[in-house]
Amino acid sequence: MSNSTIDLRSDTLTSPTPSMRRAMAEAEVGDDVFGEDPTVRSLEERCAELFGMEAGLLVASGTQGNLCSLLTHCRPRQEVIAERGCHVVTWEVGGWASLVGVTMAAVDAPNGILTSDLIRGAVKAPNVHLVDTHLVWIENTHNTAGGTCTPPERMADLVRTAHELGLRVHVDGARIFNAAAALECSVADLMQGADSVQFCLSKGLGAPVGSLLLGSHDYIHEARRVRKMVGGGMRQAGVLAAAGHVALDEIPQRLPQDHANARLLAELLSDTPGLSVDPDSVATNLVFFDIGPELGLPTEFEARLDAAGVRVVGFNETGRCRAVTYHQISTDDIQRAAEIIHDCAVDAGG
Ligand SMILES: *Cc1c(COP(=O)(O)O)cnc(C)c1O
């Protein structure tokens, strides 16, 4: 065991627990496109209630949830205001451009957390030359900004401003349970009247597949047709929803430990030569560390770590590597990973 690779590339690497596998084996199922899968329906209702929303829709992935949301909220020639580093802007194959036909007003926000002033500044005036601003996009936690959280008070401010301006609000909450754990609030507290939210069962919550899209009855009614259009109508999806139920039962209360492990990793790495990381910048379960030029490119350092038994992701564009904690990574794993990363940095000439 102690010689196995410690894989910190993503919290998508969680694998279903024995209780999830049992629930999947025993799930009551039906054809969900006909609306007849009781386990899917109960998961959708449970999640809607948990977030204080009217209705829910199980989708295949976070990307599909975000795409269905854009296709439901927006029409071509409309514009979305999003923080520049948002997942949807860069990491979803540009579906907003190629499939939805919207443009992005990408704004730079400190720590990836939008402000009302940034929204006001990005709204386009009615003008024959311009697209119509329609939607505000909030990513919580914000992935590339370092797992940062938009707290309830800021959400209330952003939603109020957006609605005053006639804009809708979508929350990309792929890791919103991490935000709620870090802020010690409920996921419903993080909605504050937002029009829709997508969250992933398959990241830190540990289920094998799936995301939920939540919103009003009308919105979900339309999103369900959109999901069918993009090929996301699944049949006996109760086997997946069953694992989602167990994930919600068991995992949210374990997320603070993932956050403590992330912080510990940053602390242990903070005096590693050639690396730079600020433990105070670790807000949830994502740790980004800067790779000094003496260690080579981030992807080269990633390969060096891989050979030594630790996997992270290197981003050459930003000169950083990312390590992610999740419930199947123990504090011992973190101690050992930090030692390996330290030794690799020294070997690389750091
Ligand atoms: C991972 C992620 C997604 C996409 O989820 P997939 O299930 O991988 O498609 C969307 N938004 C954010 C912020 C993410 O981190």
Side-chain angles (χ1 to χ4, degrees):
M1 223 11 221
S2 74
N3 287 322
S4 62
T5 293
I6 302 167
D7 201 337
L8 304 175
R9 285 173 301 164
S10 176
D11 45 10
T12 55
L13 292 155
T14 45
S15 56
T17 61
S19 50
M20 286 178 198
R21 287 180 181 274
R22 239 178 351 258
M24 294 172 82
E26 291 164 6
E28 215 188 311
V29 298
D31 188 324
D32 182 51
V33 173
F34 291 128
E36 292 169 6
D37 188 302
T39 311
V40 172
R41 293 183 76 143
S42 68
L43 181 67
E44 289 172 345
E45 282 162 19
R46 175 182 182 179
C47 292
E49 195 171 325
L50 202 54
F51 281 74
M53 294 292 203
E54 288 177 6
L57 183 69
L58 178 67
V59 292
S61 65
T63 301
Q64 189 176 66
N66 284 341
L67 177 62
C68 287
S69 186
L70 284 169
L71 285 165
T72 304
H73 281 303
C74 300
R75 296 291 170 269
R77 298 188 305 285
Q78 291 181 332
E79 185 157 85
V80 179
I81 299 173
E83 204 283 326
R84 190 176 310 282
C86 278
H87 197 277
V88 71
V89 175
T90 311
W91 297 99
E92 296 177 19
V93 208
W96 51 272
S98 55
L99 299 174
V100 190
V102 293
T103 52
M104 281 284 170
V107 300
D108 295 301
N111 296 317
I113 300 172
L114 281 181
T115 65
S116 285
D117 284 346
L118 285 169
I119 295 176
R120 283 195 201 92
V123 174
K124 292 196 163 56
N127 182 310
V128 70
H129 301 87
L130 302 178
V131 293
D132 290 323
T133 310
H134 186 69
L135 183 68
V136 174
W137 193 273
I138 297 169
E139 186 172 308
N140 196 11
T141 68
H142 192 299
N143 183 340
T144 60
T148 52
C149 308
T150 300
E153 319 79 68
R154 179 63 65 86
M155 269 307 294
D157 194 32
L158 296 176
V159 173
R160 193 180 324 112
T161 301
H163 286 172
E164 277 168 16
L165 293 164
L167 310 176
R168 293 179 167 212
V169 178
H170 174 77
V171 178
D172 178 357
R175 296 189 178 84
I176 199 159
F177 281 86
N178 293 90
L183 295 165
E184 298 183 343
C185 66
S186 69
V187 287
D189 290 337
L190 294 172
M191 294 296 100
Q192 300 291 328
D195 298 282
S196 57
V197 58
Q198 177 279 123
F199 78 92
C200 292
L201 293 166
S202 58
K203 290 194 168 165
L205 293 184
V209 180
S211 282
L212 269 293
L213 182 61
L214 310 170
S216 69
H217 287 301
D218 287 349
Y219 168 87
I220 292 297
H221 181 76
E222 185 59 15
R224 196 174 289 279
R225 294 204 310 157
V226 164
R227 182 187 69 172
K228 193 79 183 80
M229 181 177 79
V230 299
M234 297 180 282
R235 301 297 177 170
Q236 286 73 29
V239 290
L240 305 177
H245 272 298
V246 177
L248 291 172
D249 291 339
E250 293 184 352
I251 309 294
Q253 54 271 32
R254 298 165 73 159
L255 297 176
Q257 184 60 51
D258 298 346
H259 300 172
N261 282 341
R263 186 167 174 107
L264 175 65
L265 180 64
E267 280 164 4
L268 293 172
L269 292 179
S270 60
D271 62 353
T272 298
L275 291 188
S276 120
V277 54
D278 174 10
D280 287 336
S281 73
V282 176
T284 49
N285 67 329
L286 309 182
V287 181
F288 284 89
F289 44 95
D290 290 318
I291 302 297
E294 60 273 39
L295 301 187
L297 290 171
T299 48
E300 290 165 350
F301 193 62
E302 171 193 322
R304 190 180 274 274
L305 291 183
D306 193 356
V310 173
R311 303 193 75 180
V312 301
V313 180
F315 299 98
N316 292 344
E317 321 84 84
T318 50
R320 302 188 301 176
C321 285
R322 189 188 76 171
V324 186
T325 59
Y326 49 93
H327 74 91
Q328 283 151 336
I329 295 293
S330 68
T331 303
D332 282 352
D333 291 331
I334 292 297
Q335 303 268 8
R336 197 157 62 85
E339 282 165 27
I340 293 170
I341 296 170
H342 185 277
D343 292 349
C344 283
V346 171
D347 283 352

